[in-house]
């Protein structure tokens, strides 16, 4: 492996067709008539060949950038960048290291044709000995710098790091070509490296095409990075506005599950101890999405906690106060809410709902929706009012509160969504019925199968389960 190899031009991928390469004709000698060389193409044919090559290159770049533009996630865009770059430079494998210079993350490494173990081997090489380390840690990776790093024959190079030599031999690559992911506008985002199985390097035309593509890809990645950071920030704020932990109250076990949409929504839940060993349970949803809905949700939940402490034994009064506050502070917004006053020692539940779906009782001998009165959402009428309802839970039964997002994510009509929820609750295995968290997980996975519970959706989902001893 230490014997020097003659570098060769990397093979051209069929994705990028090769135009005919020709040599410009010599200028004619003054005073003499130009005599075409035997069997040489006419000047018009040379120009036509070059124009055909340029059109081919532009068409290829257009197709590749169109594919990249259709990606809507960072991981998807990075994978597409690696695939397209490999086709442009004639490589088979590669990796991209995302490491924004502002230090705000996310930091990640994604491989093409490299498994997790392969990436782990590469990460054992000293960072400065790898092309991506050179780009990320030196001026070559700064915006505006040319920055390409070519290693046409790693094993023929003097001073190759021993660990790098060992890893390259283990993984079977002998050359590399690297470009920074950086622009003046986006700053430094990371670096991409493509690996060759044999000593090779991309042709100058290939480098030019790859450079154009990577500059466009970096701008696209910068936009997706900003979106990902905004979504993560909204999700963090929403989670911080919800209970960090559920209270421990004698006679009842609690569990909650929350799924936030990519834009951040207004679904919320709460559980708080009340005087006389009582427990208040609440779920609700504010209309809209994004930062304003998250902020409104936080204000509404905080206000409900205060009203519940003052008059929690009367759920109708709690929601009436909440409706008045919403009408005065958020006149253009409406909300649904359900508040339940629970007495665990008696297993007695008194609740009132404002445009909210009824709770579900799950037990050994029955699985049914609790009877609730029909009422409008908060903020829809000049004065909200609805009667409360009361029911008795049996020992071992679980009361499941949820938001409408659970039903809406199914994509079914309302009646079918309710039937699906009821069937999911009925099918809870006997071994799981003593754990409210397991019950909530089973219902979530059954109502929203195939990863729909975790998929991006405009609808938030909240489940709050209370099992009575």
């Amino acid at each position: 492996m230490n014997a020097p190899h003659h570098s060769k031009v990397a093979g051209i991928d069929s994705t990028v067709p090769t135009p005919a390469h020709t040599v410009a004709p010599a200028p004619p000698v003054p005073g003499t008539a130009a005599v075409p060389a035997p069997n040489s193409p006419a000047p018009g044919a040379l120009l036509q060949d070059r124009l055909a090559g340029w059109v081919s290159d532009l068409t290829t770049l257009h197709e590749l950038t169109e594919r990249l533009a259709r990606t809507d996630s960072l991981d998807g865009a990075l994978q597409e960048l690696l695939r397209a770059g490999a086709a442009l430079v004639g490589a088979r494998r590669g990796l991209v290291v995302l490491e924004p210079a502002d230090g705000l993350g996310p930091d990640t490494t994604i491989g093409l044709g490299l498994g997790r173990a392969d990436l782990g081997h590469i990460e054992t090489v000293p960072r400065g000995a790898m092309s991506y380390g050179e780009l990320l840690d030196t001026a070559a990776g700064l915006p505006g710098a040319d920055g390409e790093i070519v290693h046409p024959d790693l094993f023929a190079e003097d001073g190759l790091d021993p660990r790098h030599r060992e890893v390259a031999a283990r993984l079977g690559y002998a050359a590399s070509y690297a470009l920074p992911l950086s622009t003046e506008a986006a700053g430094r985002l990371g670096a991409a490296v493509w690996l060759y199985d044999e000593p090779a390097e991309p042709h100058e035309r290939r480098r030019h095409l790859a450079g154009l593509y990577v500059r466009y890809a970096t701008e696209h990645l910068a936009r997706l990075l900003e979106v990902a950071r905004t979504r993560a920030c909204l999700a963090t704020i929403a989670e911080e506005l919800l209970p960090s932990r559920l209270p421990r109250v004698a006679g009842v076990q609690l569990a909650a599950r929350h799924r936030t949409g990519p834009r951040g929504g207004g679904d919320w839940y709460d559980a708080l101890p009340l005087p006389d060993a009582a427990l208040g349970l609440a779920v609700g949803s504010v209309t809209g999405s994004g930062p304003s809905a998250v902020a409104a949700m936080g204000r509404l939940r905080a206000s409900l906690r205060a009203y519940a402490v003052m008059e929690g034994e009367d759920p109708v009064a709690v929601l009436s106060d909440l409706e008045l506050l919403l009408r005065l502070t958020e006149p253009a917004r409406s909300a649904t809410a359900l508040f339940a006053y629970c007495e665990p020692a008696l297993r007695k539940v008194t609740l009132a709902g404002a445009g909210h779906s009824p709770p579900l009782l799950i037990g050994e001998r029955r699985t049914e929706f609790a009877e609730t009165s029909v009422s409008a959402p908060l903020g829809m009428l000049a004065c909200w009012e609805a009667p409360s309802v009361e029911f008795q839970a049996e020992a071992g039964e679980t009361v499941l509160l949820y938001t409408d997002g659970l039903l809406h994510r199914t994509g079914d009509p309302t009646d079918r969504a309710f039937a699906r929820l009821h069937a999911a609750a009925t099918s809870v295995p006997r071994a799981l019925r003593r754990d409210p968290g397991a019950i909530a997980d089973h219902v979530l996975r059954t109502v929203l199968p195939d990863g729909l519970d975790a998929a991006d959706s405009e609808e938030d989902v909240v489940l709050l389960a209370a099992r009575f001893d």
Side-chain angles (χ1 to χ4, degrees):
M1 295 296 286
N2 294 326
H5 300 279
H6 294 290
S7 300
K8 67 178 183 180
V9 175
I12 302 303
D13 190 273
S14 58
T15 306
V16 188
T18 307
H21 294 281
T22 56
V23 180
V29 178
T32 63
V35 180
N39 301 323
S40 64
L46 298 178
L47 179 60
Q48 195 172 26
D49 286 346
R50 291 182 179 180
L51 287 175
W54 295 338
V55 171
S56 174
D57 290 348
L58 290 175
T59 301
T60 298
L61 282 177
H62 175 73
E63 292 175 354
L64 294 179
T65 53
E66 281 288 307
R67 288 209 313 243
L68 180 68
R70 287 194 290 269
T71 60
D72 56 3
S73 67
L74 267 179
D75 283 353
L78 292 172
Q79 290 283 3
E80 180 60 31
L81 164 66
L82 282 175
R83 285 192 293 267
L88 289 172
V89 303
R92 189 172 64 87
R93 293 180 290 173
L95 69 152
V96 60
V97 179
L98 188 67
E99 190 176 293
D102 57 14
L104 300 178
D107 295 349
T108 187
T109 301
I110 292 179
L112 172 69
L114 297 171
R116 188 179 299 273
D118 298 332
L119 293 176
H121 285 307
I122 290 174
E123 289 176 352
T124 64
V125 179
R127 181 182 172 97
M130 298 297 296
S131 298
Y132 67 83
E134 296 180 61
L135 291 174
L136 294 175
D137 299 337
T138 65
L142 296 178
D146 182 19
E148 69 170 18
I149 296 180
V150 187
H151 292 289
D153 190 346
L154 286 169
F155 297 103
E157 291 184 11
D158 294 331
L160 183 66
D161 184 274
R163 180 57 184 166
H164 191 184
R165 185 187 304 275
E166 178 183 347
V167 169
R170 178 191 293 266
L171 300 184
Y173 66 87
S176 67
Y177 178 69
L179 285 173
L181 303 179
S182 62
T183 65
E184 293 289 350
R188 191 207 73 196
L189 299 185
V193 184
W194 289 277
L195 305 175
Y196 300 95
D197 297 343
E198 300 175 354
E201 63 180 298
H203 190 278
E204 184 63 32
R205 171 173 161 266
R206 295 283 143 182
R207 296 186 191 182
H208 178 66
L209 291 177
L212 291 175
Y213 177 80
V214 167
R215 280 196 288 275
Y216 173 84
T218 303
E219 298 291 351
H220 183 64
L221 288 172
R223 291 189 289 269
L224 292 179
L225 180 64
E226 190 65 27
V227 171
R229 286 177 173 177
T230 301
R231 289 180 176 179
C233 183
L234 282 174
T236 300
I237 292 173
E239 291 298 331
E240 290 297 323
L241 290 174
L242 295 174
S244 58
R245 60 183 180 85
L246 296 173
R248 293 185 177 181
V249 177
V252 65
Q253 302 174 54
L254 300 174
R257 299 293 183 266
H258 183 219
R259 301 290 186 270
T260 304
R263 295 170 55 191
D267 285 19
W268 52 275
Y269 67 94
D270 207 350
L272 66 157
L274 296 175
D276 302 324
L279 173 69
L281 300 177
V283 292
S285 178
V286 177
T287 56
S289 60
S292 62
V294 173
M297 175 266 286
R299 290 191 292 268
L300 213 61
R301 172 180 170 265
S303 301
L304 184 139
R305 290 177 70 90
Y307 300 146
V309 171
M310 292 187 294
E311 46 193 355
E313 68 278 1
D314 185 357
V316 172
V318 171
L319 294 187
S320 296
D321 292 343
L322 196 63
E323 196 274 339
L324 177 61
L325 175 74
L326 182 69
R327 188 151 40 90
L328 293 176
T329 60
E330 308 276 351
R333 197 183 297 276
S334 63
T336 65
L338 186 147
F339 178 73
Y341 179 79
C342 307
E343 300 174 76
L346 303 175
R347 295 193 293 277
K348 178 181 174 183
V349 179
T350 305
L351 64 86
H356 208 83
S357 300
L360 188 59
L361 281 88
I362 305 172
E364 294 289 342
R365 293 184 292 180
R366 62 173 176 172
T367 298
E368 61 188 27
F369 291 100
E371 293 291 339
T372 57
S373 57
V374 178
S375 61
L378 303 176
M380 297 291 288
L381 303 177
C383 181
W384 177 88
E385 188 173 353
S388 63
V389 296
E390 182 181 302
F391 64 86
Q392 191 84 21
E394 298 181 5
E397 285 191 332
T398 297
V399 178
L400 183 66
L401 282 63
Y402 52 93
T403 58
D404 293 341
L406 178 64
L407 306 175
H408 294 162
R409 279 204 187 195
T410 65
D412 292 338
T414 302
D415 55 343
R416 291 185 60 186
F418 274 115
R420 177 182 289 192
L421 174 58
H422 185 273
T426 303
S427 66
V428 175
R430 183 182 298 271
L432 302 181
R433 291 181 179 267
R434 299 181 63 85
D435 182 358
I439 293 175
D441 289 334
H442 176 85
V443 169
L444 194 59
R445 289 193 303 267
T446 307
V447 175
L448 301 174
D450 303 323
L452 285 176
D453 61 317
D456 282 352
S457 170
E458 297 300 317
E459 300 288 346
D460 284 7
V461 175
V462 163
L463 287 87
L464 179 60
R467 182 184 183 276
F468 291 90
D469 296 337

